[in-house]
Amino acid sequence: MDFSKEAIVDEMMGFFKAKVITSAFELKLFDAISDTALTLDEVCTRCNIPVNSGKRLLIALTAMGLVNKENNSYLLNQSAKSYLISDSKEWLGWLARHIDSFLYPLWAQTAKAIKEDSDQRKTVFGDTRSWFDILYQNPQDVVDFQEFLGIFARPFIDGMVEEFDFSQYQHFLDIGSGIGSLPVAVAKRFPNLKISICELPQAASYLRDRLMVTEGGENIEVITGNIIEDKLSNNNFDLVHLGWMLHDYSPSIQSKILKNIYDSLPNGATFIASETPLNDDESGPLFTTLLSINMLVSTDGGVESTRQEYLQRFNEAGFVNTRVLSIKGPRTLFVGEKN
Ligand SMILES: C[S@@+](CC[C@H](N)C(=O)[O-])C[C@H]1O[C@@H](n2cnc3c(N)ncnc32)[C@H](O)[C@@H]1O
């Protein structure tokens, strides 16, 4: 790969663009110009910001292409509208708030995290509690985190529901389900399957409320639990899925989670973890390599792993017939069975 100085500077200044976008979300600027073109004064009045600084933000957003300027009026680029306006299902404002409250302050401590090989929650929040205890202390943060993860998960869920055969199972459990997008998609496609979710108590109440108003969610059971601390209380699940959760924890905690799940399952049950693994030679994918640094600065020892590393942890927990299944979309499935 050949680099120019400009390309490196551009990469280094990437955070300028990130902050322009998250600030526009915070100021509700995208909502203000979603359908009707407004003059500078009108935008600034709507957003309750000074004209001088508001103009700089609008000029930057226009240069980035997210806003179009015509005849001295500003209008949202309509191709980006569904991601930027707050009454859209695809709204990325959840992610913007999570970036501003958590990711950006934690990433500011990246060099320190690497020197210390440690998360930076104490430096940033003055708090030594676990990542999810800090993340979930404020109900709005639960909503932000769960909703943007739901958007991230959508392409993987389509692939999993189409390509994995749920029809041969009786009772499916999704551990750490977030907003329950996978169980809801499975419920719609396999109406005879009994479906349960196990979530941390702080996330479960939002999940229950959300399932009640989601088509396909009404009959899904939500149980609260912590799969690091406890085995599952019910051992009738013949199919269990754990999505994008192993990477939130250190390899030793991952092994504990896998052992707890293994011990809870009846013989003949199938277990699946969906993850975004590193390439076998650790050459990428780029997003996964960056996510691994994100796990370092924020979580309890979380780290991205290769396919082999995940399979080895499965084998050590006792699973047999362990294998990797590639499906459409961003995730890879790791599958194991209990004899
Ligand atoms: C990164 S999110 C993944 C959400 C979703 N499964 C997906 O695939 O996109 C991890 C989820 O696991 C839940 N979780 C984390 N630790 C847990 C634990 N010890 N026991 C049960 N759930 C846990 C979190 O509340 C969160 O919803």
Side-chain angles (χ1 to χ4, degrees), residues 21 42 79 85 114 166 183 272 322:
I21 297 175
E42 287 168 335
S79 70
I85 63 164
I114 288 170
F166 287 82
I272 310 171
T322 53

Side-chain angles (χ1 to χ4, degrees), residues 132 136 146 176 178 199-200 226-227 243-245 248-249 331:
F132 282 102
Y136 287 166
Q146 299 296 10
E199 249 301 346
L200 291 172
N226 183 332
I227 196 62
W244 233 15
M245 198 178 105
D248 289 330
Y249 293 105
R331 300 226 192 141

